[in-house]
Short mmCIF file of all heavy atoms in Angstrom, two decimals:
data_model
loop_
_atom_site.label_atom_id
_atom_site.label_comp_id
_atom_site.label_asym_id
_atom_site.label_seq_id
_atom_site.Cartn_x
_atom_site.Cartn_y
_atom_site.Cartn_z
N GLN Y 1 22.89 24.85 -1.30
CA GLN Y 1 22.21 23.61 -0.98
C GLN Y 1 23.06 22.74 -0.08
O GLN Y 1 24.28 22.72 -0.20
CB GLN Y 1 21.89 22.84 -2.25
CG GLN Y 1 20.71 23.36 -3.01
CD GLN Y 1 20.02 22.25 -3.77
OE1 GLN Y 1 20.64 21.32 -4.23
NE2 GLN Y 1 18.72 22.36 -3.86
N LEU Y 2 22.38 22.01 0.78
CA LEU Y 2 23.05 21.04 1.65
C LEU Y 2 23.14 19.71 0.92
O LEU Y 2 22.24 19.33 0.18
CB LEU Y 2 22.24 20.85 2.94
CG LEU Y 2 22.02 22.10 3.78
CD1 LEU Y 2 21.08 21.78 4.94
CD2 LEU Y 2 23.34 22.65 4.28
N SER Y 3 24.24 19.00 1.14
CA SER Y 3 24.39 17.68 0.52
C SER Y 3 25.06 16.74 1.51
O SER Y 3 25.66 17.16 2.49
CB SER Y 3 25.22 17.78 -0.76
OG SER Y 3 26.52 18.23 -0.47
N GLY Y 4 24.92 15.45 1.24
CA GLY Y 4 25.52 14.44 2.10
C GLY Y 4 24.56 13.98 3.18
O GLY Y 4 23.35 14.10 3.05
N ALA Y 5 25.14 13.45 4.25
CA ALA Y 5 24.35 12.88 5.34
C ALA Y 5 24.08 13.92 6.42
O ALA Y 5 24.82 14.88 6.59
CB ALA Y 5 25.10 11.70 5.94
N ILE Y 6 23.00 13.70 7.15
CA ILE Y 6 22.68 14.53 8.31
C ILE Y 6 23.52 14.00 9.48
O ILE Y 6 23.45 12.81 9.80
CB ILE Y 6 21.19 14.47 8.64
CG1 ILE Y 6 20.39 15.10 7.49
CG2 ILE Y 6 20.88 15.18 9.95
CD1 ILE Y 6 18.89 14.98 7.64
N PRO Y 7 24.32 14.84 10.13
CA PRO Y 7 25.19 14.35 11.19
C PRO Y 7 24.42 13.98 12.47
O PRO Y 7 23.48 14.68 12.85
CB PRO Y 7 26.14 15.53 11.45
CG PRO Y 7 25.40 16.73 10.98
CD PRO Y 7 24.49 16.26 9.87
N PRO Y 8 24.80 12.89 13.12
CA PRO Y 8 24.13 12.47 14.35
C PRO Y 8 24.27 13.49 15.47
O PRO Y 8 23.46 13.52 16.40
CB PRO Y 8 24.78 11.14 14.71
CG PRO Y 8 26.02 11.06 13.91
CD PRO Y 8 25.85 11.96 12.73
N GLU Y 9 25.27 14.35 15.39
CA GLU Y 9 25.48 15.36 16.43
C GLU Y 9 24.32 16.32 16.57
O GLU Y 9 24.17 16.98 17.60
CB GLU Y 9 26.78 16.15 16.15
CG GLU Y 9 28.05 15.34 16.32
CD GLU Y 9 28.38 14.45 15.12
OE1 GLU Y 9 27.75 14.57 14.05
OE2 GLU Y 9 29.26 13.58 15.28
N LEU Y 10 23.46 16.40 15.57
CA LEU Y 10 22.26 17.25 15.70
C LEU Y 10 21.38 16.80 16.86
O LEU Y 10 20.64 17.59 17.43
CB LEU Y 10 21.45 17.25 14.40
CG LEU Y 10 21.99 18.11 13.28
CD1 LEU Y 10 21.11 17.99 12.04
CD2 LEU Y 10 22.09 19.56 13.70
N GLY Y 11 21.47 15.54 17.22
CA GLY Y 11 20.71 15.03 18.35
C GLY Y 11 21.16 15.62 19.68
O GLY Y 11 20.48 15.48 20.69
N ASN Y 12 22.28 16.34 19.69
CA ASN Y 12 22.78 16.98 20.90
C ASN Y 12 22.19 18.37 21.12
O ASN Y 12 22.52 19.01 22.12
CB ASN Y 12 24.31 17.09 20.85
CG ASN Y 12 24.98 15.74 20.85
OD1 ASN Y 12 24.46 14.77 21.37
ND2 ASN Y 12 26.15 15.67 20.24
N LEU Y 13 21.35 18.84 20.23
CA LEU Y 13 20.74 20.16 20.41
C LEU Y 13 19.92 20.18 21.69
O LEU Y 13 19.28 19.20 22.05
CB LEU Y 13 19.84 20.49 19.22
CG LEU Y 13 20.53 20.76 17.89
CD1 LEU Y 13 19.49 20.87 16.78
CD2 LEU Y 13 21.36 22.04 17.97
N ASP Y 14 19.93 21.32 22.38
CA ASP Y 14 19.15 21.46 23.61
C ASP Y 14 17.66 21.48 23.33
O ASP Y 14 16.86 21.01 24.12
CB ASP Y 14 19.54 22.74 24.35
CG ASP Y 14 20.94 22.64 24.94
OD1 ASP Y 14 21.38 21.51 25.26
OD2 ASP Y 14 21.59 23.69 25.07
N SER Y 15 17.27 22.07 22.21
CA SER Y 15 15.86 22.09 21.81
C SER Y 15 15.76 22.59 20.38
O SER Y 15 16.68 23.20 19.86
CB SER Y 15 15.04 23.01 22.73
OG SER Y 15 15.42 24.35 22.55
N ALA Y 16 14.65 22.30 19.77
CA ALA Y 16 14.35 22.79 18.42
C ALA Y 16 12.86 22.62 18.21
O ALA Y 16 12.29 21.59 18.57
CB ALA Y 16 15.12 22.01 17.37
N THR Y 17 12.21 23.63 17.68
CA THR Y 17 10.79 23.48 17.41
C THR Y 17 10.55 22.91 16.02
O THR Y 17 9.61 22.15 15.83
CB THR Y 17 10.03 24.81 17.56
OG1 THR Y 17 10.64 25.78 16.72
CG2 THR Y 17 10.06 25.28 19.00
N HIS Y 18 11.39 23.28 15.07
CA HIS Y 18 11.24 22.78 13.70
C HIS Y 18 12.61 22.50 13.09
O HIS Y 18 13.58 23.18 13.39
CB HIS Y 18 10.50 23.79 12.82
CG HIS Y 18 9.08 23.94 13.22
ND1 HIS Y 18 8.69 24.82 14.21
CD2 HIS Y 18 7.95 23.33 12.79
CE1 HIS Y 18 7.38 24.73 14.37
NE2 HIS Y 18 6.92 23.84 13.53
N PHE Y 19 12.65 21.51 12.23
CA PHE Y 19 13.87 21.14 11.52
C PHE Y 19 13.46 20.98 10.06
O PHE Y 19 12.69 20.09 9.72
CB PHE Y 19 14.41 19.83 12.10
CG PHE Y 19 15.68 19.35 11.46
CD1 PHE Y 19 16.86 20.04 11.63
CD2 PHE Y 19 15.69 18.19 10.71
CE1 PHE Y 19 18.05 19.59 11.06
CE2 PHE Y 19 16.86 17.73 10.12
CZ PHE Y 19 18.04 18.44 10.30
N ASN Y 20 13.94 21.88 9.20
CA ASN Y 20 13.46 21.90 7.83
C ASN Y 20 14.59 22.00 6.82
O ASN Y 20 14.84 23.05 6.26
CB ASN Y 20 12.49 23.07 7.64
CG ASN Y 20 11.88 23.10 6.26
OD1 ASN Y 20 12.25 22.35 5.38
ND2 ASN Y 20 10.93 23.97 6.06
N PRO Y 21 15.30 20.89 6.57
CA PRO Y 21 16.29 20.88 5.49
C PRO Y 21 15.69 20.32 4.19
O PRO Y 21 16.32 19.54 3.47
CB PRO Y 21 17.40 19.99 6.04
CG PRO Y 21 16.64 18.97 6.82
CD PRO Y 21 15.44 19.71 7.40
N SER Y 22 14.46 20.67 3.90
CA SER Y 22 13.79 20.13 2.71
C SER Y 22 14.40 20.69 1.43
O SER Y 22 15.05 21.73 1.43
CB SER Y 22 12.30 20.44 2.76
OG SER Y 22 12.08 21.83 2.74
N SER Y 23 14.16 19.98 0.35
CA SER Y 23 14.58 20.39 -0.99
C SER Y 23 16.07 20.67 -1.10
O SER Y 23 16.49 21.70 -1.61
CB SER Y 23 13.76 21.60 -1.45
OG SER Y 23 12.38 21.27 -1.46
N ASN Y 24 16.86 19.74 -0.58
CA ASN Y 24 18.31 19.81 -0.70
C ASN Y 24 18.80 18.53 -1.38
O ASN Y 24 18.03 17.84 -2.03
CB ASN Y 24 18.94 19.98 0.69
CG ASN Y 24 18.86 21.42 1.16
OD1 ASN Y 24 19.59 22.26 0.70
ND2 ASN Y 24 17.96 21.68 2.10
N GLN Y 25 20.05 18.23 -1.21
CA GLN Y 25 20.65 17.04 -1.80
C GLN Y 25 21.10 16.07 -0.71
O GLN Y 25 22.13 15.40 -0.83
CB GLN Y 25 21.85 17.43 -2.67
CG GLN Y 25 21.51 18.38 -3.80
CD GLN Y 25 20.63 17.72 -4.85
OE1 GLN Y 25 20.91 16.61 -5.29
NE2 GLN Y 25 19.58 18.38 -5.25
N LEU Y 26 20.34 15.99 0.39
CA LEU Y 26 20.70 15.11 1.50
C LEU Y 26 20.40 13.66 1.14
O LEU Y 26 19.45 13.37 0.41
CB LEU Y 26 19.93 15.51 2.76
CG LEU Y 26 20.23 16.92 3.27
CD1 LEU Y 26 19.28 17.29 4.39
CD2 LEU Y 26 21.68 17.03 3.72
N SER Y 27 21.22 12.76 1.67
CA SER Y 27 21.03 11.34 1.40
C SER Y 27 21.62 10.53 2.54
O SER Y 27 22.33 11.05 3.39
CB SER Y 27 21.69 10.96 0.08
OG SER Y 27 23.08 11.19 0.15
N GLY Y 28 21.30 9.24 2.55
CA GLY Y 28 21.89 8.34 3.52
C GLY Y 28 20.97 8.03 4.68
O GLY Y 28 19.80 8.42 4.71
N GLU Y 29 21.52 7.32 5.64
CA GLU Y 29 20.78 6.89 6.83
C GLU Y 29 20.55 8.10 7.75
O GLU Y 29 21.48 8.83 8.09
CB GLU Y 29 21.59 5.82 7.57
CG GLU Y 29 20.94 5.28 8.80
CD GLU Y 29 19.88 4.22 8.51
OE1 GLU Y 29 19.80 3.72 7.37
OE2 GLU Y 29 19.14 3.88 9.43
N LEU Y 30 19.29 8.30 8.11
CA LEU Y 30 18.97 9.36 9.07
C LEU Y 30 19.43 8.92 10.46
O LEU Y 30 19.18 7.79 10.86
CB LEU Y 30 17.47 9.63 9.09
CG LEU Y 30 16.94 10.39 7.89
CD1 LEU Y 30 15.42 10.29 7.82
CD2 LEU Y 30 17.37 11.84 7.98
N PRO Y 31 20.08 9.80 11.20
CA PRO Y 31 20.55 9.41 12.53
C PRO Y 31 19.39 9.33 13.52
O PRO Y 31 18.59 10.25 13.65
CB PRO Y 31 21.53 10.53 12.90
CG PRO Y 31 21.13 11.70 12.08
CD PRO Y 31 20.51 11.15 10.82
N ILE Y 32 19.31 8.21 14.21
CA ILE Y 32 18.26 7.99 15.20
C ILE Y 32 18.35 9.03 16.32
O ILE Y 32 17.37 9.29 17.02
CB ILE Y 32 18.30 6.54 15.72
CG1 ILE Y 32 17.00 6.19 16.42
CG2 ILE Y 32 19.51 6.33 16.60
CD1 ILE Y 32 16.84 4.71 16.71
N GLU Y 33 19.50 9.64 16.47
CA GLU Y 33 19.69 10.67 17.49
C GLU Y 33 18.75 11.85 17.32
O GLU Y 33 18.53 12.61 18.27
CB GLU Y 33 21.15 11.16 17.48
CG GLU Y 33 22.17 10.16 17.97
CD GLU Y 33 22.64 9.18 16.89
OE1 GLU Y 33 22.14 9.23 15.75
OE2 GLU Y 33 23.52 8.36 17.21
N LEU Y 34 18.17 12.02 16.13
CA LEU Y 34 17.22 13.12 15.92
C LEU Y 34 16.03 13.02 16.88
O LEU Y 34 15.45 14.04 17.25
CB LEU Y 34 16.73 13.14 14.48
CG LEU Y 34 17.76 13.46 13.40
CD1 LEU Y 34 17.14 13.36 12.02
CD2 LEU Y 34 18.36 14.84 13.62
N MET Y 35 15.69 11.80 17.29
CA MET Y 35 14.57 11.63 18.22
C MET Y 35 14.87 12.22 19.58
O MET Y 35 13.95 12.48 20.36
CB MET Y 35 14.22 10.14 18.39
CG MET Y 35 13.58 9.55 17.19
SD MET Y 35 12.88 7.87 17.37
CE MET Y 35 13.50 7.18 18.84
N ALA Y 36 16.13 12.47 19.89
CA ALA Y 36 16.51 12.96 21.21
C ALA Y 36 16.38 14.48 21.36
O ALA Y 36 16.53 15.00 22.45
CB ALA Y 36 17.95 12.54 21.52
N ILE Y 37 16.10 15.19 20.27
CA ILE Y 37 15.99 16.64 20.35
C ILE Y 37 14.70 17.00 21.07
O ILE Y 37 13.61 16.72 20.57
CB ILE Y 37 16.03 17.29 18.95
CG1 ILE Y 37 17.29 16.90 18.20
CG2 ILE Y 37 15.93 18.81 19.08
CD1 ILE Y 37 17.29 17.33 16.74
N PRO Y 38 14.78 17.60 22.26
CA PRO Y 38 13.56 17.93 23.00
C PRO Y 38 12.75 19.03 22.33
O PRO Y 38 13.30 19.97 21.77
CB PRO Y 38 14.08 18.41 24.36
CG PRO Y 38 15.54 18.31 24.34
CD PRO Y 38 15.99 17.97 22.96
N GLY Y 39 11.45 18.90 22.41
CA GLY Y 39 10.54 19.95 21.96
C GLY Y 39 10.34 20.04 20.46
O GLY Y 39 9.73 20.99 19.99
N THR Y 40 10.85 19.09 19.70
CA THR Y 40 10.72 19.17 18.25
C THR Y 40 9.27 18.89 17.85
O THR Y 40 8.73 17.84 18.13
CB THR Y 40 11.66 18.19 17.56
OG1 THR Y 40 12.98 18.45 17.99
CG2 THR Y 40 11.59 18.34 16.06
N LEU Y 41 8.66 19.87 17.20
CA LEU Y 41 7.27 19.75 16.79
C LEU Y 41 7.13 19.29 15.35
O LEU Y 41 6.15 18.68 14.99
CB LEU Y 41 6.55 21.09 16.97
CG LEU Y 41 6.55 21.65 18.38
CD1 LEU Y 41 5.90 23.03 18.39
CD2 LEU Y 41 5.82 20.72 19.32
N GLY Y 42 8.09 19.63 14.52
CA GLY Y 42 7.95 19.26 13.12
C GLY Y 42 9.28 19.07 12.42
O GLY Y 42 10.24 19.77 12.70
N PHE Y 43 9.30 18.11 11.54
CA PHE Y 43 10.44 17.84 10.69
C PHE Y 43 9.93 17.93 9.26
O PHE Y 43 8.85 17.43 8.94
CB PHE Y 43 10.95 16.41 10.91
CG PHE Y 43 11.94 16.29 12.03
CD1 PHE Y 43 11.54 16.45 13.33
CD2 PHE Y 43 13.27 16.02 11.76
CE1 PHE Y 43 12.44 16.34 14.36
CE2 PHE Y 43 14.18 15.90 12.79
CZ PHE Y 43 13.77 16.07 14.09
N VAL Y 44 10.68 18.58 8.39
CA VAL Y 44 10.35 18.61 6.97
C VAL Y 44 11.60 18.15 6.23
O VAL Y 44 12.57 18.88 6.11
CB VAL Y 44 9.91 20.00 6.50
CG1 VAL Y 44 9.51 19.97 5.03
CG2 VAL Y 44 8.78 20.54 7.35
N LEU Y 45 11.58 16.89 5.81
CA LEU Y 45 12.74 16.28 5.18
C LEU Y 45 12.52 15.97 3.71
O LEU Y 45 13.42 15.53 3.02
CB LEU Y 45 13.11 14.99 5.92
CG LEU Y 45 13.48 15.17 7.40
CD1 LEU Y 45 13.46 13.84 8.12
CD2 LEU Y 45 14.83 15.83 7.52
N ARG Y 46 11.32 16.20 3.22
CA ARG Y 46 10.98 15.84 1.84
C ARG Y 46 11.81 16.61 0.82
O ARG Y 46 12.35 17.66 1.12
CB ARG Y 46 9.50 16.05 1.61
CG ARG Y 46 9.07 17.49 1.74
CD ARG Y 46 7.59 17.65 1.78
NE ARG Y 46 7.17 17.33 3.14
CZ ARG Y 46 5.94 17.41 3.59
NH1 ARG Y 46 5.00 17.81 2.80
NH2 ARG Y 46 5.64 17.10 4.83
N GLY Y 47 11.87 16.07 -0.36
CA GLY Y 47 12.54 16.75 -1.45
C GLY Y 47 14.05 16.59 -1.46
O GLY Y 47 14.75 17.40 -2.04
N ASN Y 48 14.55 15.55 -0.81
CA ASN Y 48 15.99 15.27 -0.82
C ASN Y 48 16.25 14.06 -1.71
O ASN Y 48 15.32 13.49 -2.28
CB ASN Y 48 16.48 15.05 0.61
CG ASN Y 48 16.63 16.36 1.35
OD1 ASN Y 48 17.52 17.14 1.06
ND2 ASN Y 48 15.72 16.62 2.29
N LEU Y 49 17.50 13.66 -1.83
CA LEU Y 49 17.84 12.56 -2.73
C LEU Y 49 17.26 11.23 -2.27
O LEU Y 49 16.43 10.65 -2.92
CB LEU Y 49 19.36 12.45 -2.90
CG LEU Y 49 20.02 13.59 -3.64
CD1 LEU Y 49 21.54 13.38 -3.70
CD2 LEU Y 49 19.46 13.73 -5.04
N CYS Y 50 17.70 10.75 -1.14
CA CYS Y 50 17.18 9.48 -0.61
C CYS Y 50 17.62 9.36 0.84
O CYS Y 50 18.78 9.08 1.12
CB CYS Y 50 17.68 8.29 -1.41
SG CYS Y 50 16.97 6.73 -0.84
N LEU Y 51 16.70 9.60 1.74
CA LEU Y 51 16.96 9.46 3.17
C LEU Y 51 16.35 8.14 3.63
O LEU Y 51 15.22 7.82 3.28
CB LEU Y 51 16.36 10.63 3.94
CG LEU Y 51 16.97 11.99 3.59
CD1 LEU Y 51 16.15 13.12 4.19
CD2 LEU Y 51 18.41 12.06 4.08
N THR Y 52 17.09 7.38 4.40
CA THR Y 52 16.62 6.07 4.85
C THR Y 52 16.69 5.96 6.37
O THR Y 52 17.40 6.71 7.03
CB THR Y 52 17.46 4.94 4.23
OG1 THR Y 52 18.82 5.10 4.63
CG2 THR Y 52 17.37 4.96 2.71
N ALA Y 53 15.94 5.01 6.90
CA ALA Y 53 15.99 4.68 8.31
C ALA Y 53 15.65 3.20 8.43
O ALA Y 53 14.78 2.70 7.73
CB ALA Y 53 15.00 5.52 9.10
N THR Y 54 16.35 2.49 9.31
CA THR Y 54 16.14 1.05 9.43
C THR Y 54 15.44 0.65 10.72
O THR Y 54 14.80 -0.38 10.77
CB THR Y 54 17.47 0.30 9.31
OG1 THR Y 54 18.39 0.83 10.26
CG2 THR Y 54 18.06 0.45 7.92
N ASP Y 55 15.56 1.45 11.78
CA ASP Y 55 14.92 1.13 13.05
C ASP Y 55 13.42 1.37 12.95
O ASP Y 55 12.97 2.47 12.60
CB ASP Y 55 15.52 2.00 14.16
CG ASP Y 55 14.91 1.72 15.50
OD1 ASP Y 55 15.37 0.79 16.18
OD2 ASP Y 55 13.94 2.42 15.87
N ALA Y 56 12.61 0.33 13.23
CA ALA Y 56 11.15 0.42 13.05
C ALA Y 56 10.53 1.53 13.90
O ALA Y 56 9.64 2.26 13.43
CB ALA Y 56 10.50 -0.92 13.38
N GLY Y 57 10.97 1.69 15.13
CA GLY Y 57 10.44 2.74 15.98
C GLY Y 57 10.77 4.12 15.46
O GLY Y 57 9.96 5.05 15.52
N PHE Y 58 11.97 4.27 14.93
CA PHE Y 58 12.40 5.54 14.35
C PHE Y 58 11.61 5.85 13.09
O PHE Y 58 11.20 6.98 12.86
CB PHE Y 58 13.90 5.50 14.08
CG PHE Y 58 14.50 6.79 13.63
CD1 PHE Y 58 14.11 8.01 14.15
CD2 PHE Y 58 15.51 6.80 12.68
CE1 PHE Y 58 14.68 9.20 13.73
CE2 PHE Y 58 16.09 7.97 12.25
CZ PHE Y 58 15.68 9.18 12.78
N VAL Y 59 11.37 4.84 12.26
CA VAL Y 59 10.56 5.03 11.05
C VAL Y 59 9.17 5.53 11.42
O VAL Y 59 8.64 6.46 10.81
CB VAL Y 59 10.50 3.73 10.22
CG1 VAL Y 59 9.46 3.84 9.11
CG2 VAL Y 59 11.86 3.40 9.64
N THR Y 60 8.57 4.93 12.44
CA THR Y 60 7.25 5.38 12.90
C THR Y 60 7.31 6.82 13.37
O THR Y 60 6.45 7.64 13.02
CB THR Y 60 6.73 4.46 14.03
OG1 THR Y 60 6.63 3.14 13.52
CG2 THR Y 60 5.39 4.92 14.55
N TRP Y 61 8.32 7.15 14.16
CA TRP Y 61 8.48 8.52 14.67
C TRP Y 61 8.64 9.50 13.51
O TRP Y 61 8.02 10.56 13.49
CB TRP Y 61 9.69 8.56 15.60
CG TRP Y 61 9.93 9.87 16.26
CD1 TRP Y 61 9.38 10.31 17.42
CD2 TRP Y 61 10.80 10.91 15.81
NE1 TRP Y 61 9.85 11.56 17.73
CE2 TRP Y 61 10.73 11.95 16.75
CE3 TRP Y 61 11.63 11.05 14.70
CZ2 TRP Y 61 11.46 13.13 16.62
CZ3 TRP Y 61 12.35 12.23 14.57
CH2 TRP Y 61 12.27 13.24 15.52
N LEU Y 62 9.46 9.15 12.53
CA LEU Y 62 9.66 10.03 11.37
C LEU Y 62 8.36 10.22 10.60
O LEU Y 62 8.04 11.33 10.16
CB LEU Y 62 10.71 9.42 10.43
CG LEU Y 62 12.15 9.53 10.86
CD1 LEU Y 62 13.02 8.60 10.04
CD2 LEU Y 62 12.64 10.95 10.77
N THR Y 63 7.61 9.15 10.42
CA THR Y 63 6.36 9.22 9.66
C THR Y 63 5.34 10.12 10.35
O THR Y 63 4.60 10.85 9.70
CB THR Y 63 5.80 7.81 9.43
OG1 THR Y 63 6.81 7.05 8.74
CG2 THR Y 63 4.55 7.82 8.60
N VAL Y 64 5.32 10.10 11.67
CA VAL Y 64 4.43 10.99 12.42
C VAL Y 64 4.84 12.45 12.21
O VAL Y 64 3.99 13.32 12.08
CB VAL Y 64 4.44 10.63 13.92
CG1 VAL Y 64 3.81 11.71 14.77
CG2 VAL Y 64 3.76 9.29 14.15
N HIS Y 65 6.13 12.70 12.16
CA HIS Y 65 6.63 14.07 12.04
C HIS Y 65 6.65 14.59 10.60
O HIS Y 65 6.53 15.78 10.37
CB HIS Y 65 8.01 14.19 12.67
CG HIS Y 65 7.95 14.18 14.16
ND1 HIS Y 65 7.84 13.02 14.89
CD2 HIS Y 65 7.96 15.18 15.06
CE1 HIS Y 65 7.80 13.31 16.17
NE2 HIS Y 65 7.85 14.61 16.30
N ASP Y 66 6.84 13.72 9.63
CA ASP Y 66 6.85 14.12 8.22
C ASP Y 66 6.59 12.88 7.37
O ASP Y 66 7.49 12.08 7.13
CB ASP Y 66 8.18 14.76 7.82
CG ASP Y 66 8.22 15.18 6.34
OD1 ASP Y 66 7.22 14.99 5.63
OD2 ASP Y 66 9.26 15.69 5.91
N SER Y 67 5.36 12.71 6.94
CA SER Y 67 4.99 11.49 6.24
C SER Y 67 5.67 11.33 4.89
O SER Y 67 5.61 10.27 4.29
CB SER Y 67 3.47 11.41 6.07
OG SER Y 67 2.99 12.51 5.36
N TYR Y 68 6.33 12.35 4.39
CA TYR Y 68 7.03 12.28 3.10
C TYR Y 68 8.53 12.33 3.27
O TYR Y 68 9.25 12.70 2.34
CB TYR Y 68 6.58 13.43 2.19
CG TYR Y 68 5.11 13.37 1.86
CD1 TYR Y 68 4.22 14.22 2.50
CD2 TYR Y 68 4.62 12.48 0.95
CE1 TYR Y 68 2.86 14.16 2.22
CE2 TYR Y 68 3.27 12.40 0.66
CZ TYR Y 68 2.40 13.25 1.31
OH TYR Y 68 1.08 13.19 1.02
N TRP Y 69 9.05 11.92 4.42
CA TRP Y 69 10.49 12.05 4.70
C TRP Y 69 11.35 11.26 3.73
O TRP Y 69 12.49 11.62 3.47
CB TRP Y 69 10.80 11.65 6.13
CG TRP Y 69 10.50 10.22 6.46
CD1 TRP Y 69 9.31 9.72 6.91
CD2 TRP Y 69 11.37 9.11 6.35
NE1 TRP Y 69 9.40 8.37 7.09
CE2 TRP Y 69 10.65 7.96 6.76
CE3 TRP Y 69 12.71 8.97 5.95
CZ2 TRP Y 69 11.22 6.69 6.78
CZ3 TRP Y 69 13.26 7.69 5.97
CH2 TRP Y 69 12.53 6.59 6.39
N ASN Y 70 10.85 10.19 3.14
CA ASN Y 70 11.67 9.38 2.22
C ASN Y 70 11.15 9.43 0.79
O ASN Y 70 11.29 8.48 0.05
CB ASN Y 70 11.77 7.94 2.71
CG ASN Y 70 10.43 7.21 2.69
OD1 ASN Y 70 9.40 7.85 2.55
ND2 ASN Y 70 10.45 5.92 2.84
N ASP Y 71 10.59 10.55 0.39
CA ASP Y 71 9.99 10.64 -0.94
C ASP Y 71 11.00 10.59 -2.08
O ASP Y 71 10.63 10.39 -3.22
CB ASP Y 71 9.11 11.89 -1.07
CG ASP Y 71 9.87 13.19 -0.98
OD1 ASP Y 71 11.06 13.18 -0.58
OD2 ASP Y 71 9.29 14.24 -1.30
N GLY Y 72 12.29 10.73 -1.80
CA GLY Y 72 13.30 10.71 -2.85
C GLY Y 72 13.82 9.33 -3.20
O GLY Y 72 14.62 9.17 -4.10
N CYS Y 73 13.37 8.31 -2.45
CA CYS Y 73 13.89 6.96 -2.67
C CYS Y 73 13.07 6.20 -3.70
O CYS Y 73 11.90 6.37 -3.82
CB CYS Y 73 13.89 6.18 -1.37
SG CYS Y 73 14.99 6.87 -0.14
#
């Protein structure tokens, strides 16, 4: 299982179609850099401890990609 925070360096990926670290022990502030990954069609972040985001635009983007991204909070 993965635990801790998602590193902002993931935003440096050249492309990704899906990002699915669901059902792990991830927690903390989601890095806004995730929005920079080109071609990302889906995020599945549900089932973690507590993932948060404070930027309103990022929250909207996350909700479009996975409406249950903060279900652990």
Side-chain angles (χ1 to χ4, degrees):
Q1 283 209 327
L2 301 174
S3 62
I6 295 174
E9 291 80 11
L10 282 179
N12 295 332
L13 291 172
D14 290 332
S15 67
T17 55
H18 292 86
F19 181 69
N20 184 352
S22 62
S23 301
N24 280 285
Q25 301 292 313
L26 298 172
S27 61
E29 181 81 12
L30 286 165
I32 196 168
E33 290 85 357
L34 294 176
M35 288 189 346
I37 303 171
T40 304
L41 301 175
F43 274 69
V44 183
L45 299 165
R46 64 192 79 177
N48 283 289
L49 292 178
C50 184
L51 296 169
T52 60
T54 54
D55 180 85
F58 186 39
V59 169
T60 299
W61 184 86
L62 285 166
T63 302
V64 166
H65 286 81
D66 179 1
S67 59
Y68 298 103
W69 63 272
N70 66 347
D71 65 348
C73 295

